[in-house]
Amino acid sequence: MSENQNYSELKWSFADFIKRLDSILVKDSSGVDFMLEFIDNCIKDGVDNPLRSKNRSNETRYLNDEKFSKKKAEFIKNNFNLKKLSDYLESIFDNNDNDDNVNDLCEEFFPNNQNVTYKNLAEELTKLFLEILRKRIEEIDPRPREKYEVFIPLGEEKVFENKIKETVKAIYAIASSDELKDHPISATYIKKKIPDDFLLQDDVQHKVTKFFNKINQYFVDEQREGAIPADFVTKQVHEQYVALKATCCSKQEIFNEMTSFFLTKAKLPTGYNRAAQCVVAYFIQLCEVFDVSAE
C-alpha cells in the first residue's frame, strides 16, 4: 500500500468492488465468472474456492453483500496470496487493449491518490481487496448488543434448550383449535417477508395466526419464573437465521433448517416437527427470521 493511501473510511464492499472491477476490465454479463476467477487467483494453490458451488444460484448470491458472510471473508483472508492476485491483475491489464480502462481503475478506486499508477495499480488493488475483507470480518453487528456474551455458557445453554423444548411442547399439547385466539397479523406484511413462495407464505401465516399468542404467553410465563431474558433467546435465533441465510438457497430451505435447529437443540423426536415449525413461524413474525423485501 502506498504511504499516502488511507483506507480508514473505506466505502467499497465486496460486491461493489468485484462488480465495478468486472465492468471496467472484463464486462462479464453476470459478474459471477469473474468473481470466481478472481477468488481462485487470490487464495493459495491447493485451497478450494469457498464461493464455488454446484448450484449457480448459490454463486450468484455472493454478489449481494448480505450473502457474503464474515466466515467466507475470514477464510479467504487466512488463505490469501498477495503476489498471486497481483500477478493475475497485471495479466488482465496486459491483455486489455484499452489503456483508458487502467486510468478508469485509478480514478475509480484511488481518486485522491496520484501515487497509484499503472506500475503499482495491481498491487494497490490487491491491498485494497485485503482491506475490504478485513472490514467485512470486523464489521459490527447493527443489532443492539445485549449484556450477555455471544456464546452461551453451559448453564444458560441448558435453560435455553429447555425453554425451546417447553415452548414446542406447549404448542404440541394443544388438542383443540377452540383453545386458540387468532393473532391479528397483517397478511400483507407476511407476503412482504415471503414474496416468492405462496405455499410457504400461506403456511407461515396460518401458524402465526393460530399459535403466536400461545407461544408469546409461554415466554411471558418463563420471565416470571426467572428464566433468562427473552431477548437473549431471540438473539440466538436471529444469529442462527443469519448463518443459514449465508448458505441456504431459498426461504423454504431456511425454514426447514430452522425447524431442525429447534428439534436438535431441544433434543426432541421428529414427531415434534410441526410444533417446531410453529415456533419458527413465531420468530418470523417477530422479524428474527426472514427480512422484509425491499420495495
Side-chain angles (χ1 to χ4, degrees):
M1 185 185 302
S2 301
E3 289 184 6
N4 296 333
Q5 186 61 35
N6 182 4
Y7 295 136
S8 60
E9 297 184 2
L10 178 70
K11 296 181 179 179
W12 288 98
S13 67
F14 171 82
D16 289 339
F17 177 83
I18 294 294
K19 288 187 288 189
R20 192 64 186 123
L21 196 62
D22 169 52
S23 67
I24 294 176
L25 287 178
V26 183
K27 299 178 175 62
D28 176 15
S29 59
S30 68
V32 177
D33 290 332
F34 171 71
M35 174 192 71
L36 296 174
E37 184 175 297
F38 184 91
I39 300 301
D40 283 339
N41 284 279
C42 78
I43 54 179
K44 301 172 184 176
D45 292 336
V47 176
D48 292 334
N49 185 337
L51 305 192
R52 286 194 176 275
S53 170
K54 295 180 180 179
N55 189 326
R56 184 69 170 185
S57 63
N58 282 348
E59 298 171 340
T60 302
R61 61 197 174 90
Y62 291 118
L63 291 179
N64 177 342
D65 287 317
E66 294 181 4
K67 302 297 183 182
F68 185 58
S69 67
K70 295 182 183 181
K71 185 176 181 180
K72 300 288 186 185
E74 187 170 19
F75 180 87
I76 295 171
K77 185 174 182 294
N78 290 341
N79 292 279
F80 203 83
N81 188 323
L82 191 147
K83 186 177 187 304
K84 183 179 178 182
L85 179 57
S86 183
D87 289 346
Y88 165 69
L89 288 172
E90 285 187 355
S91 70
I92 297 180
F93 299 161
D94 291 340
N95 292 328
N96 200 302
D97 297 331
N98 190 349
D99 291 338
D100 290 338
N101 286 340
V102 175
N103 293 329
D104 288 343
L105 287 172
C106 289
E107 293 178 5
E108 183 76 25
F109 292 102
F110 311 101
N112 300 319
N113 192 334
Q114 302 302 317
N115 294 324
V116 178
T117 65
Y118 177 89
K119 294 182 179 180
N120 64 350
L121 177 59
E123 182 182 356
E124 291 297 334
L125 283 171
T126 299
K127 292 176 179 178
L128 172 59
F129 183 65
L130 260 178
E131 187 65 13
I132 291 171
L133 293 176
R134 184 199 62 76
K135 177 188 174 185
R136 182 69 187 98
I137 294 168
E138 298 179 358
E139 211 165 50
I140 298 175
D141 190 340
R143 289 170 55 80
R145 293 281 182 179
E146 286 84 356
K147 62 182 179 180
Y148 293 89
E149 298 293 337
V150 174
F151 66 90
I152 309 175
L154 184 59
E156 291 185 349
E157 182 174 9
K158 184 62 177 177
V159 175
F160 176 56
E161 292 176 359
N162 287 338
K163 178 174 289 188
I164 294 177
K165 180 177 181 179
E166 294 304 319
T167 303
V168 173
K169 287 175 65 176
I171 305 168
Y172 193 78
I174 297 175
S176 171
S177 60
D178 294 337
E179 300 176 43
L180 305 173
K181 294 182 179 179
D182 287 357
H183 178 63
I185 64 169
S186 167
T188 302
Y189 187 65
I190 294 295
K191 288 180 180 179
K192 287 182 178 180
K193 301 188 78 172
I194 312 174
D196 52 356
D197 190 329
F198 172 77
L199 293 178
L200 179 61
Q201 178 190 117
D202 187 66
D203 188 31
V204 170
Q205 181 181 328
H206 174 74
K207 286 180 169 61
V208 170
T209 301
K210 292 298 181 184
F211 296 104
F212 183 91
N213 286 335
K214 183 72 175 182
I215 301 173
N216 197 61
Q217 185 58 51
Y218 181 83
F219 274 98
V220 172
D221 292 341
E222 283 293 290
Q223 295 300 287
R224 292 171 181 163
E225 296 296 325
I228 59 176
D231 59 355
F232 180 64
V233 177
T234 57
K235 180 176 185 289
Q236 310 307 313
V237 173
H238 181 79
E239 289 180 349
Q240 178 68 12
Y241 160 66
V242 171
L244 288 171
K245 189 171 68 168
T247 58
C248 292
C249 303
S250 67
K251 285 183 168 63
Q252 182 65 65
E253 185 179 356
I254 292 175
F255 186 85
N256 294 340
E257 289 296 325
M258 286 298 299
T259 301
S260 297
F261 168 70
F262 280 115
L263 293 174
T264 301
K265 291 291 289 184
K267 299 181 175 63
L268 291 167
T270 55
Y272 282 75
N273 190 69
R274 288 185 178 178
Q277 290 176 351
C278 291
V279 180
V280 175
Y282 170 81
F283 284 108
I284 289 175
Q285 176 65 8
L286 289 183
C287 299
E288 301 301 335
V289 177
F290 294 160
D291 309 307
V292 176
S293 301
E295 298 191 21

